[in-house]
Every structure is written in C-alpha cells, then in structure tokens.
C-alpha cells in the first residue's frame, strides 16, 4: 500500500514538473508585439548603456539570412554568448540564434558581438528581433531584453 501511494506521489510530481516546463517554454517563445507606430528599440529591464545594436537597425529591410552586430556589456553574456530570437508579426517564433562575443567577455565594458539569423524560406513580412540577456539562473529579476521591428523581404 505504501509503495502504491509513493508511486502515485512520484507520478504527480513528474506530471507537475512536465507541465511547468512546457508552460515556461511557451511563455519564452512568445512576445508581446510593439505598437505598429513604434520605430525604436524597446528596452525591457535594459538600456542603451547595456547593449547597442549596429545592424540591423529598427525598421530595416533584411534578407532571409542576416547578421546581428553590436556590442553589449560583458555581464549580458554567459560563456561568451546570449540568445537572439526572431518572431513574426503575430508573435510566433521564426528563428533563434546565439550571439557570440568577438572579444574577451569577462569584463564590465562593452564587448562586440555577432550572430547570424536565418528566417524560414517561406516567411516574408514584418518581424520582431529580440536580443535577450543570458540568464543562466532563470530568475525573472535577472531577465533583460531589447526588441525592435524589422522587415524580412528577400
């Protein structure tokens, strides 16, 4: 009888863990879109003093394959990288990439980065580019990101 109760408790814990995992994944892969008249970078727990994007710029027209180039403070990285995501106009995830530090990232100074993104061949239209501070702790208070609109055309 004790083994049956223990088995049921373990199954419930596993089911809850799976549910939490998938709920968090869904939350991470969606984004609230900026208003259509916004022509600038949206900072979420971030600022231009922490990360700067040189290319593409807000409202840029890009091809299906493009590079994201800029510089970020060393603490924006973890193990010399941070994630970048591309969403369609409805908030559906189109592509992900990893920005790589181009110099030593173990500093509080700005460090150049580069990432290559490839949008799906079928996609043409407005998109949202999101650069996320790497947050290995998973704590929400350590999350930060910037986002802006681009257009994927050719």
């Amino acid at each position: 009888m004790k083994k049956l109760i223990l088995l049921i408790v373990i199954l419930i814990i596993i089911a809850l863990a799976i549910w939490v995992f998938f709920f968090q994944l869904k939350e991470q892969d969606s984004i609230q879109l900026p208003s259509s008249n916004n022509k600038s970078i949206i900072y979420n727990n971030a600022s231009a003093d922490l990360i700067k994007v040189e290319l593409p710029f807000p409202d840029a027209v890009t091809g299906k394959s493009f590079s994201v180039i800029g510089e970020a403070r060393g603490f924006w990285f973890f193990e010399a990288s941070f994630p970048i995501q591309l969403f369609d106009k409805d908030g559906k995830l189109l592509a992900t990439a990893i920005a790589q530090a181009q110099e030593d990232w173990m500093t509080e100074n700005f460090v150049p980065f580069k990432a290559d993104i490839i949008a799906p061949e079928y996609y043409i239209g407005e998109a949202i580019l999101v650069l996320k501070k790497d947050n290995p702790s998973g704590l929400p208070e350590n999350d930060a990101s910037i986002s802006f609109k681009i257009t994927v055309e050719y």
Side-chain angles (χ1 to χ4, degrees):
M1 183 67 170
K2 287 183 182 181
K3 288 183 181 181
L4 180 62
I5 292 173
L6 181 61
L7 180 63
I8 291 172
V9 169
I10 290 172
L11 289 174
I12 290 172
I13 291 172
I14 290 172
L16 285 172
I18 291 171
W19 180 78
V20 167
F21 175 76
F22 283 112
F23 178 73
Q24 286 181 344
L25 268 182
K26 183 179 178 184
E27 210 172 79
Q28 290 175 354
D29 289 345
S30 63
I31 183 172
Q32 182 176 1
L33 299 176
S35 64
S36 59
N37 60 1
N38 190 338
K39 301 211 184 292
S40 62
I41 295 175
I42 295 172
Y43 295 92
N44 179 20
N45 204 21
S47 70
D49 190 45
L50 298 175
I51 183 167
K52 300 174 184 176
V53 179
E54 296 170 21
L55 288 174
F57 49 87
D59 291 321
V61 176
T62 70
K64 305 247 189 252
S65 177
F66 61 94
S67 294
V68 180
I69 299 170
E71 58 184 10
R73 299 276 182 185
F75 48 82
W76 194 272
F77 300 85
F78 179 72
E79 298 297 333
S81 67
F82 64 86
I84 297 180
Q85 297 174 314
L86 182 68
F87 293 88
D88 72 8
K89 63 180 180 169
D90 298 320
K92 179 183 171 200
L93 184 63
L94 294 171
T96 60
I98 301 297
Q100 293 291 319
Q102 302 298 296
E103 296 176 3
D104 180 21
W105 65 281
M106 301 283 289
T107 178
E108 291 184 6
N109 297 326
F110 279 105
V111 177
F113 66 81
K114 181 180 181 204
D116 294 319
I117 300 217
I118 301 173
E121 194 60 38
Y122 66 85
Y123 190 76
I124 293 176
E126 191 175 278
I128 306 296
L129 189 63
V130 180
L131 291 78
K132 294 184 170 187
K133 177 183 174 195
D134 205 332
N135 180 8
S137 72
L139 298 172
E141 60 266 23
N142 295 333
D143 284 340
S145 66
I146 65 169
S147 60
F148 56 92
K149 289 183 182 185
I150 62 171
T151 301
V152 176
E153 271 197 11
Y154 52 90

